[in-house]
Amino acid sequence: MEISQLAAIISRLDGMIKEQSDEVQSRRFEKDGRELGVISYDKETDTFILEELADKQKFEFDNIDLAAMEIYDLLND
């Protein structure tokens, strides 16, 4: 059985939350060598900001599950 793609995304986001640094954390998500999005986590505001690179749209989330689902959709469209 394959590892859940959604679980892997949540694990990466959780790592951003647990990072000890006060700097804004960011991670890139790609598929087939194409970078599709960049997500940032700001500890001060406790929010994730996802930038979809194809259309330069930005989405803000205060919930890790919603952020993970949006990334999952982005990677599987």
Side-chain angles (χ1 to χ4, degrees):
M1 178 186 281
E2 226 177 277
I3 187 167
S4 165
Q5 187 178 14
L6 192 53
I9 293 167
I10 290 173
S11 177
R12 289 182 72 189
L13 297 179
D14 190 50
M16 294 169 73
I17 292 171
K18 291 177 179 172
E19 177 66 37
Q20 297 298 315
S21 171
D22 288 334
E23 294 179 24
V24 173
Q25 299 294 308
S26 63
R27 302 289 186 274
R28 300 184 178 285
F29 287 88
E30 59 181 55
K31 183 173 185 178
D32 299 327
R34 250 184 50 231
E35 194 172 303
L36 300 176
V38 177
I39 192 154
S40 302
Y41 176 71
D42 186 348
K43 271 190 200 265
E44 246 182 63
T45 61
D46 197 28
T47 56
F48 292 97
I49 300 169
L50 174 63
E51 180 180 2
E52 293 184 0
L53 299 176
D55 54 12
K56 298 293 184 194
Q57 285 188 310
K58 289 188 179 184
F59 302 94
E60 192 169 311
F61 303 95
D62 61 359
N63 180 294
I64 191 171
D65 293 325
L66 295 176
M69 288 188 296
E70 188 66 31
I71 293 168
Y72 179 86
D73 288 344
L74 177 65
L75 296 174
N76 291 292
D77 277 346

